[in-house]
Amino acid sequence: MRCSAAFLIALITPTLAGCPPTTVYDRPASDAGGMPAPDTPASPDFSLPQPDCVEDSDCEDKTVCCDGRCAVEAECRDPGPCLEHDAMCRTSDGTGVERQGDFWCLALDAEGPRCVQVCESSFSVSGCPASTYCLDVNAGEQPLTLCLPGECSTSGDCGPRGTGTCVQFGNQAGFCFAAGNAGLGQSCGGDVRCQTDLYCVTGTLGGTCQPLCDMWNGDGSECPSGTTCGYLTLGTGVCRAQTIAGRDIAESCDPQGAWCGSGLQCFDFRTGGEPLPVCAAWCRPGRDDCRGRFQNHDGFCRMVFVGAGGQAIEDFGLCL
C-alpha cells in the first residue's frame, strides 16, 4: 500500500489513512551507503579561563588581584552572588572561575567575570537565554555545559576577512570556525579547511566543501547542481547530496537518507515491516515550519529522533 501525504499526519492519528503509526527513530543516514548522520559542527573550542594572577603580589603598579586579573582596588567590588545570566559577579577566591548556584562566575573577557547559566543538553538551546547556546566547555576531567554567548552575526565578525566562518547555531547565537584555502567542491577534512562560508560535508569518498544555506526559509537555489539545502544546525543549513527520485513531501524517494528538496529528507518509515521511503520535512518545535505542508492540513512538529544514548532530541522533529 502506498500512503498519501495524509500518511505523515496519520503517524499520530492512523485512522486518517489506515497506515500503522510509527514511534521514535534514530537520526538517519545523510546519504546513500550507510553514511553517518548529518554532519554537525563540533562545539567551538571553549576552555575555562586561566587567571593572570592568584594573589595581590602577582600584580604591579598598585593594582590588586581581582577575579584572576590585576585591577585598581576601587574597581574590585563585590556585586553579590549570581542570580541572573550575564550579570557582573565576583569569585570568593579571586580566580575568576567559581560555581554559584545555577551559574558559573567566569571571566570570559577583559570586562571581568559575569554570571553564565548552567544547562543540561549540550549543542542545543536547552532553555538558554537569547543570543546564547548550550555547549561543552573544556573544564578538564569534569564535564561542563554552559549557555555560552554567541560570537558573531556574519563571517566578517570572525577576525580579518577570510579567516573565519560564522555558523549560526540557533537561538540568535553564532560561533566562529577557522577557515582555510579549500574551495567549493574541493576535498577537505583534518587540517584541510574550507574557505569562508563553506563547510566540509562528509561523504563516502571523504569530505567536500559545500556552501552554507538557509534550510528553514530558502529553496536550496544557492546550492550546486545535484545538492539541496539540508540540516547542519538549528540556525544554518548546508548543501547536501540530493535524492535520485523524490523531491516533494510524501513522495517516494531514493536513496534513503539523501535530501529530496530544501529541508526534506528521505526516511524509511518501515510500515508493516515493508520499506516505505518517503520525503519528510524537518521542523523546529514552536515554529511555523509545518504550515501549508499538507495541502489543506498545516501539520505539526513532532519530536521523533533519539540520540546515541537513547535520549530524545528535542530541538527538531518532522512535520506530521
Side-chain angles (χ1 to χ4, degrees):
M1 175 176 58
R2 185 176 183 272
C3 298
S4 67
F7 160 68
L8 295 179
I9 301 175
L11 293 179
I12 299 296
T13 55
T15 56
L16 291 179
C19 294
T22 55
T23 53
V24 179
Y25 300 93
D26 293 329
R27 285 186 62 175
S30 61
D31 295 283
M35 291 173 58
D39 310 83
T40 300
S43 295
D45 186 18
F46 286 105
S47 299
L48 288 182
Q50 297 298 312
D52 295 327
C53 60
V54 176
E55 52 189 31
D56 292 347
S57 61
D58 297 330
C59 297
E60 301 175 350
D61 300 327
K62 298 182 180 180
T63 57
V64 296
C65 188
C66 182
D67 285 311
R69 64 189 184 97
C70 295
V72 177
E73 188 169 7
E75 298 177 356
C76 192
R77 51 187 180 273
D78 187 1
C82 285
L83 297 176
E84 62 179 349
H85 180 85
D86 203 38
M88 298 295 293
C89 59
R90 285 284 312 281
T91 58
S92 60
D93 58 3
T95 61
V97 179
E98 184 176 70
R99 179 70 182 260
Q100 297 183 358
D102 292 331
F103 303 88
W104 275 78
C105 180
L106 295 178
L108 292 175
D109 52 44
E111 296 181 1
R114 290 185 176 273
C115 302
V116 181
Q117 182 175 313
V118 176
C119 50
E120 294 183 358
S121 301
S122 178
F123 212 88
S124 71
V125 176
S126 192
C128 290
S131 300
T132 70
Y133 210 73
C134 186
L135 294 171
D136 291 317
V137 174
N138 181 7
E141 297 180 358
Q142 200 70 3
L144 178 60
T145 51
L146 299 174
C147 295
L148 293 173
E151 300 176 302
C152 58
S153 297
T154 68
S155 295
D157 299 327
C158 298
R161 183 174 179 83
T163 60
T165 293
C166 183
V167 176
Q168 295 295 328
F169 278 31
N171 204 33
Q172 304 170 41
F175 296 91
C176 294
F177 291 80
N181 296 320
L184 176 64
Q186 292 182 347
S187 298
C188 55
D191 294 333
V192 180
R193 297 187 176 94
C194 299
Q195 294 174 356
T196 300
D197 292 332
L198 299 179
Y199 179 78
C200 189
V201 176
T202 304
T204 53
L205 300 178
T208 59
C209 296
Q210 297 294 334
L212 297 175
C213 54
D214 188 346
M215 190 182 91
W216 305 112
N217 297 309
D219 58 4
S221 59
E222 64 269 64
C223 293
S225 176
T227 67
T228 190
C229 193
Y231 182 89
L232 181 62
T233 70
L234 286 179
T236 304
V238 69
C239 297
R240 297 185 177 279
Q242 196 167 30
T243 54
I244 299 170
R247 289 293 184 267
D248 296 324
I249 194 166
E251 284 188 354
S252 296
C253 53
D254 179 67
Q256 180 188 350
W259 294 78
C260 302
S262 181
L264 303 178
Q265 194 171 11
C266 186
F267 290 89
D268 186 355
F269 287 92
R270 301 184 298 275
T271 60
E274 295 295 324
L276 183 64
V278 295
C279 298
W282 287 47
C283 57
R284 299 161 294 180
R287 307 293 285 270
D288 292 333
D289 300 326
C290 299
R291 178 168 293 178
R293 285 289 198 179
F294 302 96
Q295 300 175 2
N296 295 328
H297 302 280
D298 277 348
F300 58 94
C301 190
R302 179 187 178 192
M303 275 62 71
V304 294
F305 300 107
V306 294
Q311 76 280 9
I313 299 174
E314 297 298 329
D315 282 338
F316 51 79
L318 294 179
C319 291
L320 304 176

